[in-house]
Amino acid sequence: MKSPYSVHSFILLLSLLPAIPLFPQNPILSHWEIQEDFHFLCEKTETIHPNIHQHYPVEEYNNRKETIRRTFPDSMSVEDFYLTIAPFIAKIKDGHTNIQPVTSPNRMRHLQSG
């Protein structure tokens, strides 16, 4: 006869599985990585976007970009980086230009592979 404790233990284990991280939930970026990623984002946006300044005046864009660049900490999580740059890009007010948070292990592996 099976012990009722083993069934309860199994149910408890199953209920805890979603809490076990399968990949780094919020990796930390170094200051260098933050600066490089932000520079890459701005450079690509400025060279590829057909009309970045239609709703985002050049002076406002450049001032905001410089303020963000100067205030980056020594390190920050990917989530905090996203929360910093998403409003900056959203100010372009173009439904086709946006930043997506990292939400899956496959996307994280893709980003980390370069």
Side-chain angles (χ1 to χ4, degrees), residues 21-32:
L22 299 177
F23 68 101
Q25 296 296 316
N26 205 2
I28 301 299
L29 300 171
S30 70
H31 185 74
W32 183 85

Side-chain angles (χ1 to χ4, degrees), residues 38 42 46 61-69 88:
F38 188 63
C42 293
E46 293 162 9
Y61 172 86
N62 288 334
N63 287 341
R64 184 69 184 131
K65 179 173 81 170
E66 184 60 23
T67 299
I68 290 171
R69 190 192 63 73
F88 171 70

